[in-house]
Each structure stands twice: as structure tokens, then as C-alpha cells.
């Protein structure tokens, strides 16, 4: 496989469920990101990991918990979500986390619906 | 507050009808401006990066330009396969974060 792979592609969960989103990158990159994409809104950065260390957390509610066990894998653990958390969750990677020349490589996303 | 505004929100063109998409920004310290293309059900795909006013980049039917306050994505003789949402993002100095616009949804009819 090449690029950035996200699973599952679709997820429906109740507000009391616990689920996890998975992301894997096959590009040898050192930085990984979680973004949230809601209808009619710009992409919102949630978390940034550089070499498995979290370097940015954009005031995301604690019901979202990221985990980066190594530079190729990223998880987003979800619990007690709200209906307004329904959105497309995108994982991305880049060679380095900062710098003006860093383009992001995105996965296809997980479409999350919270009932 | 750093802001990126894209216009129009949606654009319908006939095949072969050239047009431009706009991305205007008000940020403190531009480090770079990025254009991405997003197809339905997929993540954004990188197109271009521009760093300084006057810079231009081209790829097939697309040409991106940059001034001190805005960027244009010119589409020459578009084809139906150019239909997608085009996202603009600005990298801000200091925090190095990317600020995205809401995108322009382009539809090219055959």
C-alpha cells in the first residue's frame, strides 16, 4: 500500500459508545495530523504529532484522545461524543511538522455520524 | 485574527469555459500559500505552493498566482474531470499553522 490509509471509512456511533479511528502512512514521514472537516466550515486542525510526540493540541475536547505509537501509525480514540461531532475526520502526514515547504498528504477520511 | 476567504463558494462552467477562483487572506506573516483539490469522498490532494508575491505555478490546465493579498487559481479550458472542491490554505509565520478557506466547489459540465 502507498500513501495514507484510514479505517474505517464510515462509522456510526451512539453518544455512549467508545470507538477508535486508525491512520497509517507508508511515506516515511515524521509528522502526522488529525483534521476535522464539517460541512460549510474550513478544515480544523486538531492534533499534530512529530516523531511520536504531540506538538500541538488545538483546544480539542477531551472526548477526543489521540495516540501515536510510532511514526507510521496514528489513532483517534472517541468516547461520549456529541451529535455536533459528526464530521469527516482526516489524517495527514508530512515529512516534517513545521516549515514553509511542508505539503500535507491526506488520507480519504472517516465519515463519522454520532446519533 | 488570521483569515482566508475563498470565492465564489460554488462555480458551474461549461467544458472549455475558462475562469478563475479567488483566495484572499489577512494573516500576520505569510510563509506560504497552498492549493489543494478535494474530490467527493476523498481527502485533499496537494496542487501548488506559492511563497512570494508575483510567483506563478502551472500544472496542466491550472495556473496559480499570488499577490500580497490574494491568490488566483486560473482554469483554462476546463474538462469535466476538473470538477472538485478547491481548497486554499495559508501558512502563518510564528505558529507555522495552516489556515484553510472553506473551498470553492467547481462543476464542469460536458
Amino acid at each position: 500500500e502507498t500513501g495514507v490509509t484510514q479505517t474505517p471509512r464510515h462509522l456510526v456511533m451512539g453518544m455512549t459508545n467508545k470507538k477508535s479511528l486508525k491512520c497509517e502512512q507508508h511515506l516515511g514521514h515524521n509528522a502526522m495530523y488529525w483534521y476535522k472537516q464539517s460541512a460549510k466550515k474550513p478544515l480544523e486542525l486538531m492534533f499534530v504529532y512529530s516523531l511520536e510526540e504531540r506538538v500541538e493540541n488545538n483546544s480539542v475536547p477531551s472526548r477526543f484522545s489521540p495516540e501515536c505509537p510510532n511514526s507510521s501509525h496514528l489513532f483517534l480514540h472517541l468516547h461520549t461524543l456529541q451529535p455536533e461531532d459528526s464530521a469527516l475526520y482526516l489524517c495527514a502526514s508530512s515529512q516534517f511538522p513545521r516549515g514553509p515547504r511542508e505539503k500535507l498528504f491526506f488520507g480519504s477520511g472517516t465519515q463519522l455520524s454520532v446519533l | 485574527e488570521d483569515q482566508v476567504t475563498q470565492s465564489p463558494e460554488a462555480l458551474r462552467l461549461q467544458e472549455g469555459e475558462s475562469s478563475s477562483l479567488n483566495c484572499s487572506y489577512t494573516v500576520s506573516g505569510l510563509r506560504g500559500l497552498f492549493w489543494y483539490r478535494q474530490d467527493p469522498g476523498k481527502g485533499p490532494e496537494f496542487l501548488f505552493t506559492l511563497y512570494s508575491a508575483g510567483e506563478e505555478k502551472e500544472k496542466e490546465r491550472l495556473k496559480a498566482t499570488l499577490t500580497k493579498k490574494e491568490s488566483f487559481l486560473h482554469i483554462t479550458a476546463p474538462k469535466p474531470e476538473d470538477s472538485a472542491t478547491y481548497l486554499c490554505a495559508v501558512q502563518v509565520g510564528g505558529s507555522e499553522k495552516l489556515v484553510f478557506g472553506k473551498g470553492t466547489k467547481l462543476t464542469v459540465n460536458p
Side-chain angles (χ1 to χ4, degrees):
Chain A
E1 281 203 69
T2 58
V4 180
T5 305
Q6 288 188 243
T7 54
R9 291 296 310 276
H10 302 274
L11 180 62
V12 179
M13 58 188 288
M15 291 194 290
T16 58
N17 291 159
K18 288 185 180 181
K19 296 286 184 182
S20 296
L21 310 184
K22 180 183 174 183
C23 176
E24 184 174 359
Q25 59 99 357
H26 308 272
L27 300 168
H29 288 166
N30 293 310
M32 297 187 77
Y33 311 73
W34 280 116
Y35 277 87
K36 176 182 178 182
Q37 188 173 37
S38 305
K40 306 289 186 183
K41 287 187 176 182
L43 264 73
E44 301 172 56
L45 178 64
M46 300 175 73
F47 302 103
V48 182
Y49 275 83
S50 170
L51 297 171
E52 301 123 55
E53 181 183 341
R54 190 190 309 179
V55 295
E56 191 159 340
N57 174 348
N58 270 5
S59 303
V60 179
S62 59
R63 56 186 184 269
F64 295 91
S65 175
E67 178 189 0
C68 187
N70 56 61
S71 60
S72 298
H73 293 86
L74 185 66
F75 295 89
L76 188 62
H77 304 298
L78 316 171
H79 64 96
T80 59
L81 293 191
Q82 305 298 311
E84 59 265 28
D85 297 322
S86 298
L88 180 68
Y89 288 85
L90 290 162
C91 173
S93 71
S94 68
Q95 190 167 9
F96 300 105
R98 304 288 168 89
R101 302 181 191 280
E102 278 312 300
K103 61 186 180 185
L104 298 174
F105 292 79
F106 285 88
S108 294
T110 295
Q111 186 65 54
L112 174 67
S113 298
V114 181
L115 304 178
Chain B
E1 185 187 343
D2 299 321
Q3 261 193 323
V4 176
T5 304
Q6 291 189 246
S7 62
E9 283 188 22
L11 180 63
R12 282 186 175 274
L13 300 173
Q14 288 297 124
E15 185 172 2
E17 180 187 1
S18 301
S19 187
S20 297
L21 313 183
N22 178 264
C23 172
S24 63
Y25 58 90
T26 52
V27 299
S28 51
L30 176 72
R31 298 296 302 274
L33 186 141
F34 298 75
W35 282 99
Y36 286 84
R37 168 192 170 129
Q38 186 172 20
D39 292 302
K42 293 191 175 181
E45 180 184 348
F46 171 80
L47 292 173
F48 304 108
T49 311
L50 301 166
Y51 297 105
S52 57
E55 189 175 358
E56 299 182 353
K57 294 272 179 76
E58 282 189 71
K59 180 181 179 180
E60 296 179 359
R61 295 176 292 282
L62 300 177
K63 178 180 176 180
T65 62
L66 180 65
T67 72
K68 287 186 177 179
K69 292 186 178 181
E70 59 191 349
S71 175
F72 291 94
L73 186 65
H74 307 279
I75 303 177
T76 302
K79 298 182 177 181
E81 53 262 40
D82 295 322
S83 298
T85 295
Y86 290 86
L87 301 174
C88 170
V90 172
Q91 187 161 34
V92 181
S95 67
E96 307 291 352
K97 67 177 183 178
L98 272 183
V99 180
F100 278 86
K102 294 181 182 180
T104 293
K105 183 177 180 181
L106 173 67
T107 304
V108 182
N109 295 315

